Amino acid sequence: MYYRIRDLREDTDLSQEQVAKLLNVSQTTYSRYETGDLEIPIPSLITLATFYSTSIDYLVDLTDYKQAYPNKKK
């Protein structure tokens, strides 16, 4: 289900363990995110989108547009 997080991880030559550390989860949990066996929590999606400079919409296959949205002005 979340093939894009796998593809982005592989494109950046990262292991599941490395991304799992970024998200503060076990490698097994992260693996289950990639296969869709476990839903990814929104805070983790935000972390991944920020890390990969993309949008959550792209990660969950709602768009094919890979660019991140512009930052909100504060």
Side-chain angles (χ1 to χ4, degrees):
M1 178 173 181
Y2 295 107
Y3 69 93
R4 286 195 167 153
I5 66 167
R6 183 198 63 226
D7 292 346
L8 287 166
R9 177 183 58 77
E10 290 175 348
D11 289 348
T12 54
D13 296 322
L14 295 171
S15 67
Q16 285 186 345
E17 187 172 328
Q18 289 170 307
V19 179
K21 284 182 184 179
L22 172 72
L23 300 177
N24 294 313
V25 297
S26 69
Q27 180 274 326
T28 302
T29 296
Y30 180 77
S31 175
R32 293 179 69 203
Y33 291 163
E34 282 192 356
T35 61
D37 291 337
L38 187 62
E39 291 294 318
I40 305 173
I42 291 173
S44 294
L45 285 171
I46 292 169
T47 299
L48 290 171
T50 301
F51 181 77
Y52 291 123
S53 298
T54 192
S55 68
I56 292 173
D57 287 352
Y58 180 78
L59 294 178
V60 299
D61 203 24
L62 290 175
T63 184
D64 290 330
Y65 187 69
K66 194 173 179 177
Q67 286 292 103
Y69 297 118
N71 287 333
K72 288 173 49 175
K73 293 183 181 180
K74 294 182 181 180

